[in-house]
Amino acid sequence: MRARLALLALMPPLLSAPLAHAGETDCWFENGAVVAPAVIGVMAGDYVIDLSAPRTLLHNTKAEMEGILEPEMSTSVQVAGLRAAAVSVKIADLDARGAGFVTPIAGVIGMDVLAGHSVEIDFAHCRLRIDRPWRARRQIVFPVSVIEGLPTVAAGVSDGPRAFYGAFAIDTASKAMTRLSTRDAAASGKLDPAARHKAPARLRALSIGGVLAENVPATLADDLPEGVSGALGTGLWARHRLRLDADGRTLSIAN
């Protein structure tokens, strides 16, 4: 992605107006996912922070340990100084999402909790910041469209003979640089859409904001809503800081 870094160098210095309150926490980067300490109800643990997840999920094994047998529950969620009082949390089997992690994953913090807040992920130092001031000497700002609750950016992909352009979710929980929706890609028995910690395929090119990446690590996704063609994973973001603004209208990328 040398072209993208070169483009960052040409951008003028920019500052964003600060937002108040909330806070920040250490996170870690494992299996292509951002993981941070959080609490759902009274259940503290290690939770995946996923901007491409429309709903917050609690692992069914974690719920069963607390005697929770319902398919969902309304409870509070706390992460990085943010406290959401009444979130409808879905209980789900997250064994596939937790594959390859050293420690068990308790759940996933999704956009139902994070929407309406600025969210910054600093991959280099692995810090998750919510509603904190954002400062960047140089940055690229992408317009964001919200589809079915998911923030998306426009991107194009090509496998050589074919190419298409669409809305791609901002995925902070998958290793692949891009995941293509099974609706828009020919499904292959060799690609498991649930295996987010792998990137077994390659695409000829990915274009975002006029910057081209070639020989792109890729896989499939079967969990994206209608209108979302794919997701852009941490293979794209991991060398940078990213910030989704509180209105969900811009995504800022800085070194």
Side-chain angles (χ1 to χ4, degrees), residues 14-20 118 131-136 139 243 245-246:
L14 295 169
L15 292 176
S16 295
L19 285 163
S118 68
D131 293 341
R132 302 300 295 164
W134 163 262
R135 295 182 176 86
Q139 64 180 348
R243 179 182 186 267
D245 82 327

Side-chain angles (χ1 to χ4, degrees), residues 16-194:
S16 295
L19 285 163
H21 310 308
E24 62 182 276
T25 186
D26 287 328
C27 57
W28 55 100
F29 187 44
E30 186 179 355
N31 277 343
V34 176
V35 184
V39 184
I40 292 180
V42 297
M43 291 163 282
D46 301 335
Y47 288 83
V48 172
I49 309 300
D50 188 3
L51 303 186
S52 70
R55 293 192 62 183
T56 292
L57 308 174
L58 178 66
H59 200 326
N60 57 359
T61 56
K62 185 81 169 177
E64 289 165 6
M65 289 172 62
E66 297 293 328
I68 300 167
L69 302 177
E70 296 81 5
E72 60 184 82
M73 63 178 182
S74 180
T75 189
S76 63
V77 177
Q78 300 177 64
V79 59
L82 170 66
R83 185 179 189 277
V87 180
S88 181
V89 176
K90 183 178 178 181
I91 313 302
D93 183 346
L94 298 179
D95 285 344
R97 292 291 299 264
F101 284 89
V102 174
T103 55
I105 297 302
V108 176
I109 306 298
M111 285 305 301
D112 51 353
V113 169
L114 301 173
H117 300 275
S118 68
V119 180
E120 177 189 346
I121 298 174
D122 182 344
F123 284 92
H125 305 96
C126 216
R127 297 287 290 174
L128 170 66
R129 303 182 178 102
I130 298 179
D131 293 341
R132 302 300 295 164
W134 163 262
R135 295 182 176 86
R137 295 182 59 195
R138 293 179 175 87
Q139 64 180 348
I140 297 177
V141 180
F142 297 103
V144 167
S145 298
V146 178
I147 300 174
E148 297 292 327
L150 292 186
T152 69
V153 294
V157 294
S158 172
D159 63 1
R162 296 166 297 175
F164 73 88
Y165 192 76
F168 284 72
I170 302 159
D171 189 345
T172 54
S174 299
K175 185 175 183 178
M177 192 174 288
T178 184
R179 294 191 302 140
L180 294 183
S181 171
T182 52
R183 293 186 305 270
D184 298 312
S188 169
K190 298 180 180 179
L191 301 181
D192 179 3

Side-chain angles (χ1 to χ4, degrees), residues 1-14 123 134-142 208-212 236-243 251-255:
M1 297 295 287
R2 286 176 292 181
R4 177 159 50 86
L5 296 177
L7 183 58
L8 276 170
L10 296 175
M11 294 294 292
L14 295 169
F123 284 92
W134 163 262
R135 295 182 176 86
R137 295 182 59 195
R138 293 179 175 87
Q139 64 180 348
I140 297 177
V141 180
F142 297 103
I208 176 172
V211 178
L212 183 69
L236 183 65
W237 314 120
R239 295 184 180 181
H240 306 291
R241 289 188 296 139
L242 64 81
R243 179 182 186 267
L251 177 71
S252 301
I253 308 295
N255 285 333

